[in-house]
Amino acid sequence: MFTEADRIWMRQALELAAQGLFTTTPNPRVGCVIVKDEQLVGEGWHRQAGQAHAEVIALGQAGGRAQGATAYVTLEPCSHFGRTPPCVNALVEARVSRVVVAMEDPNPLVSGQGLAALRAAGIEVRCGLLENEVRELNLGFVSRMVRGRPWVRLKTAASLDGRTALPDGRSQWITGEAARQDGHQWRARACAILTGIGTVRADNPRLNVRDVATSRQPRKVLIDSRLEVNPQAQLFEEAQVWVIAAVEDNQRIAALHERGAEVLVLPNAQGKTDLPAVMRELARRGINELHVEAGAQLNGSLLREDCVDEWLAYIAPVMLGEGLGVASLPVPGSLAAAPRFVSQSVQSIGEDIRWIARHPQWAERIARAPSGAAPGESIHLIS
């Protein structure tokens, strides 16, 4: 179905799409190249919501040379009016003869309709080339469209014996500078960073992206069931903070509003914050990837509520003995009953190890063979 040339051009489109890693939220990361007579005549990638889509940028570069050309697009061209006109119309009007798409758009407003419209216009359409790689790049968008919740990535930094801090709470720094900088790369690609009141009280973090070139700071989300946070905490020095509580306290809510924060009250039947409801609400607000940096209590709650899709663990070659653990969980009845994740990668980062593992259900879905890629094809998107 696909030629080696097709794979080369789609890989170039995918590399373009990856340039939007930090900026496209809540939209997917999309790249496009236009090829005529085996020559590149136009290329583009979507930079930011509200700005031109990848196809429109690439067609603009190609101009009249787009007639009779092949367009390689990493995600199905949109067929509806949103902030911008449909990309399908632009491709039809440019009179391209062939469109190769990596992945059908999971957005129900588009799903399959863009491909159908192109075929109805007499354009040859092929779909599925490097599909797995495009799904990997857009895990959060796919999760929000398919499951109605963000892709939740839990980040921890611990010693060889699984401690995140000394008994008195000191944790700066367990891992080295290279691992900390790598962690900021993952922060930067997230739509939002979530933490808990315990972490804010203990560390007073800013939870912003540092040492990484990005034009966008992720939104910050604080789980604070009883609204105990100090409004002067560093978390609020930059705007765009959502505080999620289980109780209403008008005086404390007003104080947080003065700091530019929004308070959402989402209790469960036990009077605590309803974490699955939080995930649904964040998805409703356009959060694709949620990066969690919290303490053992909130980590444990997220794991118990089955709210963690991916675990990003930095492990330092140090032993701390008695200290604070990674997650507060009940003892399983047996080893077979213990929750398990599926390892995805292990890599040295400076003197530390970065281990990435996924929830078994989603590890299986993401690992399924793409319909058009050759065995073993992959692209390195983050180091």
Side-chain angles (χ1 to χ4, degrees), residues 207-263:
L207 283 189
N208 57 0
V209 175
R210 304 182 294 278
D211 303 324
V212 175
T214 178
S215 59
R216 176 192 64 88
Q217 285 289 336
R219 187 177 288 275
K220 290 174 278 191
V221 182
L222 172 63
I223 303 295
D224 182 13
S225 292
R226 294 187 291 274
L227 288 174
E228 299 171 310
V229 67
N230 183 342
Q232 301 308 312
Q234 290 189 121
L235 191 73
F236 301 106
E237 290 180 359
E238 296 171 352
Q240 297 190 328
V241 181
W242 291 330
V243 179
I244 303 180
V247 299
E248 292 193 54
D249 185 312
N250 292 336
Q251 184 174 352
R252 292 180 181 179
I253 290 174
L256 293 172
H257 283 172
E258 288 182 6
R259 292 287 279 159
E262 181 181 356
V263 178

Side-chain angles (χ1 to χ4, degrees), residues 119-259:
R119 291 186 176 112
I123 296 172
E124 178 187 351
V125 177
R126 293 288 183 270
C127 185
L129 179 58
L130 300 188
E131 179 181 352
N132 234 28
E133 286 85 342
V134 171
R135 184 180 288 105
E136 183 75 27
L137 180 62
N138 288 298
L139 278 172
F141 181 75
V142 173
S143 177
R144 182 164 66 88
M145 291 295 118
V146 172
R147 302 187 300 169
R149 52 173 273 184
W151 180 264
V152 180
R153 182 176 293 115
L154 174 65
K155 180 258 183 179
T156 60
S159 62
L160 281 173
D161 51 350
R163 302 303 178 186
T164 61
L166 295 172
D168 61 5
R170 285 178 292 164
S171 61
Q172 297 183 338
W173 296 105
I174 292 176
T175 55
E177 183 177 351
R180 296 196 298 274
Q181 185 169 14
D182 187 73
H184 277 269
Q185 294 278 344
W186 291 93
R187 275 188 185 184
R189 69 173 285 168
C191 305
I193 302 171
L194 180 142
T195 194
I197 182 60
T199 298
V200 172
R201 276 199 297 243
D203 300 334
N204 194 22
R206 287 178 284 172
L207 283 189
N208 57 0
V209 175
R210 304 182 294 278
D211 303 324
V212 175
T214 178
S215 59
R216 176 192 64 88
Q217 285 289 336
R219 187 177 288 275
K220 290 174 278 191
V221 182
L222 172 63
I223 303 295
D224 182 13
S225 292
R226 294 187 291 274
L227 288 174
E228 299 171 310
V229 67
N230 183 342
Q232 301 308 312
Q234 290 189 121
L235 191 73
F236 301 106
E237 290 180 359
E238 296 171 352
Q240 297 190 328
V241 181
W242 291 330
V243 179
I244 303 180
V247 299
E248 292 193 54
D249 185 312
N250 292 336
Q251 184 174 352
R252 292 180 181 179
I253 290 174
L256 293 172
H257 283 172
E258 288 182 6
R259 292 287 279 159

Side-chain angles (χ1 to χ4, degrees), residues 3 25 63 107 191:
T3 67
T25 179
N107 185 343
C191 305

